[in-house]
Amino acid sequence: MKKTVLALVISSTLIGCGSDSDEQPSQALVNASLMDVAHVAGVAYQCGSQSGTTNAEGNFKVLEGTTNCIFSIGELSLGQSNVTISETNNQVSTLTLKPTISVRTSVNHVANVSALLQTVDANNDVTDGIDLTKVVAETIPAAILQAPNDEEFNKLASKVEMEIDGQQQTIGELGIEPVAPSIAGAELNNTYKSESVDTLVKDVKKLAVNDDFTKVNFDEKLSEYRALLEPGSDDSNGYHQKALLAMMDILEISNMEEVKNRVKVANPSSHEMLANLLDATLNPESMVELALNEAKTGSTDDINTILNSAATRLVKASNELKTAFPNKNYIMQYGEISEDAPEFSLTYQDAQIARSYALALASALNLISSYKKGSDENFLPQKESLTVDVVEFSNGQVIEKKIDIDAEFSNLESNPLQLLSTGKIGEFNTSAQERLQEAKSWLTEAVEVAKLIDLSELLNNDEAIKTAKLIADLSKHLADESSSMMTESGEGEDKEQLYFNLHALFSTAKGIDVKDIDLTNLEYQCEVYWDGTPLKNSKYSETLSKLFNETVCSHEEENYHWNVFDNIAVKASYASLDFVDGTKIESSDSTIEDVIWCGQSANEQKVSCFDEK
């Protein structure tokens, strides 16, 4: 798995481009810091219910998970940051500040903010930090952050007063040269530049050009890269290291066996990622299908914990990318820059695609982890010596006989219907409500992030229009709990309208679990010939299912065999678990129609999509 991840990082990223308790934990206070080219002291902040002034080290207290902080000097608003603050992501850069409603938007806003902060530093030396305790806030012209160029900024900045040794004097009178926004902006951008990322890019380039990848120890190389990218490994603000670590986490989680066996969106490239995630995680039909499948099958509760942990890592990765790409014009680039492009770059567009993918996948994983999975015994490999009827081909002769074969299998793979009949698999677990609500919030955020993506760069015109409509419809539906949404499925004569309520899907009261399904109508159905003719006397075989560790039928056809050894075969065919034709899928108290339905009758009753198989 790790080989695949490193190969993906190299090819598509570097070279080419839970608890059972229902109690909600209380939010902890995080020690955050405001950073420009250095830490910023003396700035007022308002972060939800927390407010105050940054201390001498630029630090301030804020609740874990806060996403809205406004910073100001006196009455002058410097801007609002929407970075999600946590223990591991506790720096707020002035690069992330956006004008508040009361401030007219300026394309130079961030550069002007940085220039102002550096200009009014108390000792005029930002190498030891930026200290605003000497500036007289009310003397700062309100229009300074809207200055269109360096010259206009300098004129306004020269009027700002500072109090030195008990006397108020203007910047000009003190002989302080204002820092030009063009210079301040460039210096601020340089705080993102990471020597560690540069070293990694050069190493990958060297591997790609000079070395044979078959000689590379991929586990050691991944470990080396992760250590190299740890924040604090150089003098940068750490955002670029976190961005690459986030991309590596997203790729690694996509390739986890527990993930890719359930959600078919693994190994995404930047251009295929959006289409894959829309198909597998943002399309309501796919999400309902995921819930229906999970209601019938699954894995252990230990796997649920793994999936929930993976989902949490994906959300963290999305937040890291959000922080690292503060605005749509920001580009992360390293290596030699040729006439065509740098050796390595990640754009705001790349980051939003990865974020939407990560959040949507996290939503799907949490949905899956909301179901009971039964005991480990049902899923762990078991060994048994089986007596099997076989066909031996020897010297032109066909000999039927019995032989003993040692088999390794799991109950889930060989006989899932027996597990379902126990009633311990497919119901919502005790963590379901919390996880479903998280899944809904992450899906909502994924849709909002998807709205930031320029679809015209990824899809043809028709697909871009279709995708934009889906995203808009999802956004509108998720914002209104009383609403539903409609999509069309199929083509031509097979086209039908499907209606969904995702609010119901993410609810234990109305969501889909095994109680909504009439399990008495499930049976093993044996493979048939291409014209629908059944194989002679075919029926489900527990022995053969254990032998092949999948659901298998036996039969009596003479010329239809599966090989076991070179000259030994068995009369076997595939068996699928499905509903009996003409029978009901839904149980008598099913709530599936609260989630999905196929239209309305004349008397405005919902038309079930699952009246019968």
Side-chain angles (χ1 to χ4, degrees), residues 118-171:
Q118 294 180 51
T119 296
V120 299
D121 175 38
N123 67 356
N124 202 26
D125 179 9
V126 298
T127 59
D128 61 355
I130 296 174
D131 180 2
L132 304 184
T133 58
K134 301 296 184 181
V135 67
V136 181
E138 58 267 26
T139 66
I140 303 174
I144 196 167
L145 298 184
Q146 289 83 53
N149 51 51
D150 289 357
E151 182 181 358
E152 185 64 26
F153 177 89
N154 291 347
K155 287 180 182 178
L156 294 168
S158 65
K159 301 175 183 179
V160 178
E161 296 181 9
M162 299 181 69
E163 185 175 334
I164 309 293
D165 297 329
Q167 292 186 338
Q168 286 187 204
Q169 293 178 281
T170 66
I171 295 292

Side-chain angles (χ1 to χ4, degrees), residues 131-426:
D131 180 2
L132 304 184
T133 58
K134 301 296 184 181
V135 67
V136 181
E138 58 267 26
T139 66
I140 303 174
I144 196 167
L145 298 184
Q146 289 83 53
N149 51 51
D150 289 357
E151 182 181 358
E152 185 64 26
F153 177 89
N154 291 347
K155 287 180 182 178
L156 294 168
S158 65
K159 301 175 183 179
V160 178
E161 296 181 9
M162 299 181 69
E163 185 175 334
I164 309 293
D165 297 329
Q167 292 186 338
Q168 286 187 204
Q169 293 178 281
T170 66
I171 295 292
E173 292 169 344
L174 290 169
I176 297 174
E177 186 74 24
V179 178
S182 60
I183 295 174
E187 290 179 351
L188 181 58
N189 274 315
N190 285 336
T191 65
Y192 275 62
K193 275 293 192 182
S194 165
E195 292 181 8
S196 299
V197 173
D198 196 51
T199 300
L200 185 151
V201 170
K202 289 176 180 176
D203 186 66
V204 172
K205 180 72 173 179
K206 178 183 174 183
L207 284 174
V209 173
N210 301 320
D211 291 355
D212 183 351
F213 275 111
T214 61
K215 299 177 182 178
V216 176
N217 185 316
F218 286 93
D219 288 338
E220 289 183 3
K221 185 58 68 174
L222 277 172
S223 179
E224 175 189 332
Y225 286 167
R226 286 191 175 276
L228 183 64
L229 293 173
E230 281 300 315
S233 58
D234 58 27
D235 293 330
S236 72
N237 59 22
Y239 291 165
H240 284 184
Q241 293 101 306
K242 290 179 180 179
L244 274 193
L245 283 170
M247 294 295 285
M248 292 173 70
D249 279 345
I250 292 170
L251 288 165
E252 183 173 8
I253 291 168
S254 295
N255 282 275
M256 289 171 57
E257 291 297 324
E258 297 88 348
V259 173
K260 68 182 183 180
N261 288 341
R262 291 168 173 81
V263 187
K264 304 302 182 183
V265 287
N267 300 348
S269 72
S270 60
H271 293 294
E272 295 172 349
M273 188 182 288
L274 184 64
N276 284 343
L277 79 89
L278 285 170
D279 243 14
T281 52
L282 291 187
N283 191 317
E285 186 175 0
S286 298
M287 298 204 74
V288 172
E289 183 179 354
L290 193 68
L292 282 167
N293 287 339
E294 201 59 26
K296 292 192 291 181
T297 60
S299 52
T300 67
D301 290 322
D302 290 337
I303 295 297
N304 278 344
T305 301
I306 292 173
L307 296 177
N308 177 249
S309 175
T312 303
R313 285 176 61 196
L314 287 166
V315 174
K316 178 185 175 183
S318 170
N319 289 335
E320 302 284 23
L321 288 169
K322 177 181 178 181
T323 302
F325 291 83
N327 57 66
K328 64 181 180 181
N329 298 317
Y330 192 80
I331 301 176
M332 175 180 167
Q333 53 188 27
Y334 285 85
E336 296 180 7
I337 301 179
S338 65
E339 293 183 2
D340 297 328
E343 290 176 337
F344 164 61
S345 67
L346 281 176
T347 66
Y348 179 83
Q349 172 93 332
D350 296 329
Q352 303 320 305
I353 294 172
R355 288 187 61 214
S356 186
Y357 171 85
L359 289 164
L361 181 55
S363 176
L365 295 183
N366 246 32
L367 174 62
I368 293 170
S369 71
S370 299
Y371 294 88
K372 290 180 181 179
K373 310 303 185 206
S375 167
D376 283 343
E377 295 178 0
N378 296 324
F379 304 87
L380 295 176
Q382 301 184 40
K383 293 182 179 180
E384 184 177 331
S385 181
L386 305 172
T387 300
V388 182
D389 291 317
V390 302
V391 177
E392 181 178 12
F393 302 95
S394 177
N395 299 322
Q397 292 185 320
V398 178
I399 303 171
E400 295 189 3
K401 63 180 184 179
K402 296 180 182 290
I403 63 172
D404 292 333
I405 303 176
D406 292 332
E408 185 173 300
F409 60 92
S410 73
N411 290 334
L412 172 68
E413 299 295 339
S414 62
N415 196 354
L417 184 56
Q418 184 181 47
L419 294 184
L420 286 171
S421 64
T422 66
K424 296 180 180 179
I425 293 178

Side-chain angles (χ1 to χ4, degrees), residues 528-545:
V528 297
Y529 283 118
W530 65 270
D531 61 358
T533 304
L535 300 176
K536 184 179 179 181
N537 293 332
S538 60
K539 60 182 178 180
Y540 170 78
S541 168
E542 183 175 358
T543 298
L544 293 182
S545 295

